[in-house]
Amino acid sequence: MYTLYWSPGTASMCVHWMLIELGEPHELVKVDIEGGEHRKPEYLKLNPSGVVPTLLVDGVPLGEAAALCMILAERHPQAGFAPAVGHEQRAAYLSWMFFLSNTLQTAYHNWFYPDQPAGHSAVEAVQAAARRRIEACLNRVDRQVAKSGSYLLGDRASAADFVTTMLMRWSRNMPKPATEWPAIAGYVKRMKSRPTFKVLYEREGLTEWS
Ligand SMILES: N[C@@H](CCC(=O)N[C@@H](CS)C(=O)NCC(=O)O)C(=O)O
Protein backbone atom coordinates (compact mmCIF):
# COMPACT_ATOMS: atom_id res chain seq x y z
CA MET A 1 0.00 0.00 0.00
CA TYR A 2 1.30 3.43 -0.96
CA THR A 3 0.14 6.89 0.05
CA LEU A 4 0.82 9.71 -2.39
CA TYR A 5 0.71 13.35 -1.32
CA TRP A 6 -0.06 15.12 -4.53
CA SER A 7 -1.36 18.23 -6.23
CA PRO A 8 -2.92 18.33 -9.73
CA GLY A 9 -0.52 18.62 -12.66
CA THR A 10 2.56 19.05 -10.47
CA ALA A 11 5.66 16.91 -9.96
CA SER A 12 3.48 14.30 -8.28
CA MET A 13 1.86 13.55 -11.63
CA CYS A 14 4.50 11.10 -12.89
CA VAL A 15 4.37 9.16 -9.62
CA HIS A 16 0.57 9.07 -9.69
CA TRP A 17 0.67 7.89 -13.31
CA MET A 18 3.08 5.08 -12.46
CA LEU A 19 0.93 3.93 -9.55
CA ILE A 20 -2.01 3.64 -11.95
CA GLU A 21 0.13 1.88 -14.58
CA LEU A 22 1.38 -0.63 -12.02
CA GLY A 23 -2.11 -1.27 -10.66
CA GLU A 24 -0.76 -1.04 -7.13
CA PRO A 25 -3.19 -0.10 -4.32
CA HIS A 26 -2.65 3.47 -3.20
CA GLU A 27 -4.24 6.22 -1.21
CA LEU A 28 -4.18 9.81 -2.43
CA VAL A 29 -3.83 12.81 -0.14
CA LYS A 30 -4.32 16.12 -1.95
CA VAL A 31 -2.02 18.94 -0.84
CA ASP A 32 -3.32 22.48 -1.27
CA ILE A 33 -0.22 24.27 -2.56
CA GLU A 34 -2.02 27.57 -3.15
CA GLY A 35 -3.27 27.46 0.43
CA GLY A 36 0.30 26.84 1.63
CA GLU A 37 -0.41 23.41 3.08
CA HIS A 38 3.00 22.16 1.89
CA ARG A 39 4.72 24.64 4.23
CA LYS A 40 2.86 23.54 7.36
CA PRO A 41 4.84 21.71 10.06
CA GLU A 42 2.85 18.47 9.64
CA TYR A 43 3.74 18.29 5.95
CA LEU A 44 7.35 19.41 6.49
CA LYS A 45 7.78 16.42 8.78
CA LEU A 46 7.06 14.22 5.77
CA ASN A 47 8.88 16.32 3.18
CA PRO A 48 11.43 18.74 4.67
CA SER A 49 11.77 20.48 1.28
CA GLY A 50 8.11 21.50 1.46
CA VAL A 51 7.26 20.27 -2.02
CA VAL A 52 5.04 17.64 -3.60
CA PRO A 53 5.24 14.75 -4.14
CA THR A 54 5.77 12.70 -1.03
CA LEU A 55 5.21 8.97 -1.22
CA LEU A 56 4.78 6.81 1.85
CA VAL A 57 6.45 3.51 1.04
CA ASP A 58 5.67 0.97 3.74
CA GLY A 59 4.94 3.95 5.99
CA VAL A 60 8.26 5.69 5.26
CA PRO A 61 7.95 9.17 3.68
CA LEU A 62 10.11 9.66 0.61
CA GLY A 63 10.48 12.62 -1.75
CA GLU A 64 11.89 13.49 -5.20
CA ALA A 65 9.55 12.66 -8.07
CA ALA A 66 12.05 10.99 -10.42
CA ALA A 67 13.51 8.91 -7.60
CA LEU A 68 10.01 7.84 -6.57
CA CYS A 69 9.33 6.66 -10.12
CA MET A 70 12.60 4.69 -10.04
CA ILE A 71 11.70 3.20 -6.66
CA LEU A 72 8.28 2.10 -7.93
CA ALA A 73 9.82 0.62 -11.08
CA GLU A 74 12.30 -1.37 -8.99
CA ARG A 75 9.75 -2.56 -6.46
CA HIS A 76 7.55 -3.89 -9.25
CA PRO A 77 10.00 -5.27 -11.80
CA GLN A 78 7.33 -7.33 -13.55
CA ALA A 79 6.20 -4.14 -15.32
CA GLY A 80 9.62 -3.75 -16.96
CA PHE A 81 9.81 0.00 -16.26
CA ALA A 82 13.50 -0.08 -15.22
CA PRO A 83 16.35 -1.71 -17.11
CA ALA A 84 17.92 -4.07 -14.57
CA VAL A 85 21.47 -3.66 -13.27
CA GLY A 86 23.75 -4.91 -16.03
CA HIS A 87 21.18 -4.35 -18.78
CA GLU A 88 22.61 -2.49 -21.79
CA GLN A 89 20.14 0.38 -21.27
CA ARG A 90 20.80 0.75 -17.54
CA ALA A 91 23.45 3.47 -17.84
CA ALA A 92 21.39 5.55 -20.27
CA TYR A 93 18.35 5.13 -18.01
CA LEU A 94 20.20 6.47 -14.95
CA SER A 95 21.77 9.27 -16.91
CA TRP A 96 18.45 10.42 -18.40
CA MET A 97 16.66 10.25 -15.05
CA PHE A 98 19.24 12.54 -13.49
CA PHE A 99 19.20 14.89 -16.48
CA LEU A 100 15.40 15.13 -16.34
CA SER A 101 15.28 15.71 -12.62
CA ASN A 102 18.42 17.73 -12.09
CA THR A 103 18.59 19.87 -15.21
CA LEU A 104 15.20 20.10 -16.93
CA GLN A 105 12.97 19.97 -13.85
CA THR A 106 15.05 22.53 -11.95
CA ALA A 107 14.90 24.88 -14.93
CA TYR A 108 11.11 24.55 -14.86
CA HIS A 109 11.14 25.29 -11.14
CA ASN A 110 12.77 28.63 -11.94
CA TRP A 111 10.24 29.27 -14.71
CA PHE A 112 7.26 28.63 -12.43
CA TYR A 113 8.69 30.12 -9.23
CA PRO A 114 10.95 32.88 -10.65
CA ASP A 115 11.02 34.88 -7.42
CA GLN A 116 12.58 32.05 -5.43
CA PRO A 117 16.24 32.27 -6.57
CA ALA A 118 16.74 36.05 -6.11
CA GLY A 119 13.52 37.81 -5.14
CA HIS A 120 10.92 39.77 -7.10
CA SER A 121 13.33 42.20 -8.75
CA ALA A 122 15.07 39.36 -10.61
CA VAL A 123 11.97 37.58 -11.91
CA GLU A 124 12.39 38.58 -15.58
CA ALA A 125 16.04 37.60 -15.77
CA VAL A 126 15.38 34.30 -13.99
CA GLN A 127 12.54 33.43 -16.36
CA ALA A 128 14.57 34.35 -19.46
CA ALA A 129 17.42 32.11 -18.29
CA ALA A 130 14.99 29.32 -17.38
CA ARG A 131 13.39 29.48 -20.82
CA ARG A 132 16.78 29.23 -22.57
CA ARG A 133 17.69 26.25 -20.44
CA ILE A 134 14.36 24.48 -20.94
CA GLU A 135 14.53 24.92 -24.70
CA ALA A 136 18.11 23.60 -24.79
CA CYS A 137 16.89 20.54 -22.84
CA LEU A 138 13.97 20.09 -25.23
CA ASN A 139 16.46 20.06 -28.14
CA ARG A 140 18.21 17.15 -26.43
CA VAL A 141 15.01 15.26 -25.69
CA ASP A 142 13.87 15.76 -29.29
CA ARG A 143 17.14 14.39 -30.68
CA GLN A 144 16.94 11.42 -28.32
CA VAL A 145 13.35 10.42 -29.13
CA ALA A 146 14.02 10.93 -32.85
CA LYS A 147 16.77 8.33 -32.75
CA SER A 148 15.62 5.97 -29.99
CA GLY A 149 12.37 4.59 -31.38
CA SER A 150 9.03 4.77 -29.62
CA TYR A 151 10.23 5.71 -26.12
CA LEU A 152 13.11 7.60 -24.56
CA LEU A 153 15.34 4.55 -24.29
CA GLY A 154 14.07 2.52 -27.22
CA ASP A 155 11.10 0.33 -27.97
CA ARG A 156 9.95 -0.16 -24.41
CA ALA A 157 8.45 2.37 -21.97
CA SER A 158 10.40 2.98 -18.77
CA ALA A 159 9.97 5.15 -15.69
CA ALA A 160 11.86 7.83 -17.63
CA ASP A 161 8.94 8.18 -20.03
CA PHE A 162 6.43 9.08 -17.32
CA VAL A 163 8.79 11.73 -16.00
CA THR A 164 9.56 13.02 -19.50
CA THR A 165 5.91 13.27 -20.54
CA MET A 166 5.05 15.20 -17.39
CA LEU A 167 7.92 17.60 -18.09
CA MET A 168 6.84 18.03 -21.72
CA ARG A 169 3.36 18.93 -20.49
CA TRP A 170 4.68 21.66 -18.24
CA SER A 171 5.77 23.66 -21.31
CA ARG A 172 2.26 23.78 -22.78
CA ASN A 173 1.72 27.48 -21.94
CA MET A 174 5.31 28.56 -22.58
CA PRO A 175 6.27 30.66 -25.62
CA LYS A 176 7.51 27.52 -27.40
CA PRO A 177 5.73 24.40 -26.11
CA ALA A 178 7.53 21.06 -26.33
CA THR A 179 5.05 19.81 -28.93
CA GLU A 180 6.58 22.26 -31.42
CA TRP A 181 9.59 19.94 -31.56
CA PRO A 182 8.62 17.33 -34.20
CA ALA A 183 9.90 14.15 -32.57
CA ILE A 184 8.61 15.20 -29.14
CA ALA A 185 5.17 15.83 -30.67
CA GLY A 186 4.95 12.20 -31.88
CA TYR A 187 6.36 10.89 -28.62
CA VAL A 188 3.87 12.80 -26.49
CA LYS A 189 0.99 11.62 -28.66
CA ARG A 190 2.15 8.02 -28.12
CA MET A 191 2.42 8.44 -24.34
CA LYS A 192 -0.94 10.20 -24.13
CA SER A 193 -2.60 7.34 -25.98
CA ARG A 194 -1.91 5.00 -23.03
CA PRO A 195 -5.29 4.24 -21.40
CA THR A 196 -3.83 5.17 -18.00
CA PHE A 197 -3.26 8.75 -19.15
CA LYS A 198 -7.02 9.25 -19.39
CA VAL A 199 -7.50 7.80 -15.91
CA LEU A 200 -4.77 10.08 -14.55
CA TYR A 201 -6.35 13.15 -16.15
CA GLU A 202 -9.78 12.32 -14.80
CA ARG A 203 -8.46 11.71 -11.31
CA GLU A 204 -6.39 14.89 -11.25
CA GLY A 205 -9.29 16.89 -12.72
CA LEU A 206 -7.14 18.10 -15.63
CA THR A 207 -8.57 19.16 -18.95
CA GLU A 208 -5.89 21.01 -20.86
CA TRP A 209 -3.27 19.24 -23.05
CA SER A 210 -5.66 16.28 -23.22
N1 LIG B 1 12.84 18.07 -6.62
C1 LIG B 1 11.47 17.98 -6.17
C2 LIG B 1 10.75 19.22 -6.66
C3 LIG B 1 9.27 19.14 -6.46
C4 LIG B 1 8.60 20.49 -6.71
O1 LIG B 1 9.24 21.49 -7.05
N2 LIG B 1 7.28 20.49 -6.53
C5 LIG B 1 6.54 21.71 -6.72
C6 LIG B 1 5.28 21.45 -7.53
S1 LIG B 1 5.66 20.98 -9.18
C7 LIG B 1 6.14 22.27 -5.39
O2 LIG B 1 5.76 21.54 -4.50
N3 LIG B 1 6.23 23.59 -5.28
C8 LIG B 1 5.84 24.31 -4.13
C9 LIG B 1 6.85 25.36 -3.77
O3 LIG B 1 8.00 25.34 -4.28
O4 LIG B 1 6.49 26.21 -2.96
C10 LIG B 1 10.85 16.70 -6.73
O5 LIG B 1 11.18 16.29 -7.86
O6 LIG B 1 10.03 16.08 -6.04
Side-chain angles (χ1 to χ4, degrees):
M1 180 70 172
Y2 295 101
T3 302
L4 177 65
Y5 291 76
W6 71 291
S7 179
T10 67
S12 51
M13 189 175 180
C14 54
V15 184
H16 191 183
W17 194 359
M18 278 197 63
L19 285 166
I20 299 168
E21 281 273 345
L22 292 168
E24 286 299 318
H26 55 278
E27 190 191 338
L28 295 173
V29 180
K30 199 167 176 179
V31 179
D32 176 10
I33 290 192
E34 280 176 18
E37 218 177 331
H38 59 306
R39 300 243 166 83
K40 294 205 170 138
E42 313 86 79
Y43 187 74
L44 291 173
K45 270 191 217 150
L46 300 173
N47 186 316
S49 305
V51 291
V52 286
T54 301
L55 186 68
L56 297 190
V57 178
D58 298 333
V60 177
L62 297 168
E64 294 302 325
L68 296 176
C69 290
M70 296 172 83
I71 291 164
L72 286 174
E74 298 202 359
R75 283 171 62 93
H76 305 286
Q78 73 287 352
F81 287 150
V85 175
H87 188 282
E88 57 178 4
Q89 284 174 352
R90 178 75 178 182
Y93 168 68
L94 294 177
S95 175
W96 274 103
M97 285 306 252
F98 277 77
F99 170 78
L100 292 167
S101 154
N102 204 27
T103 306
L104 179 51
Q105 194 182 332
T106 50
Y108 272 119
H109 197 93
N110 286 345
W111 174 262
F112 289 118
Y113 304 94
D115 58 313
Q116 286 187 359
H120 286 284
S121 59
V123 155
E124 258 182 50
V126 169
Q127 271 207 324
R131 180 182 169 189
R132 277 196 301 278
R133 191 145 204 209
I134 291 166
E135 291 185 358
C137 291
L138 295 180
N139 287 336
R140 266 185 76 178
V141 173
D142 193 67
R143 281 199 300 274
Q144 174 67 12
V145 292
K147 74 162 196 222
S148 67
S150 302
Y151 300 101
L152 197 69
L153 301 176
D155 292 336
R156 189 173 183 142
S158 74
D161 293 296
F162 301 103
V163 178
T164 303
T165 307
M166 175 187 82
L167 294 174
M168 298 302 104
R169 180 181 177 275
W170 286 0
S171 70
R172 70 199 180 284
N173 297 320
M174 288 188 66
K176 188 173 175 191
T179 45
E180 287 190 20
W181 276 260
I184 292 177
Y187 167 79
V188 158
K189 201 166 164 203
R190 198 168 305 118
M191 287 302 290
K192 280 165 59 177
S193 70
R194 295 175 86 86
T196 52
F197 184 79
K198 194 165 176 280
V199 178
L200 175 73
Y201 248 57
E202 280 167 9
R203 283 200 189 179
E204 298 215 352
L206 302 172
T207 49
E208 77 292 28
W209 209 64
S210 53

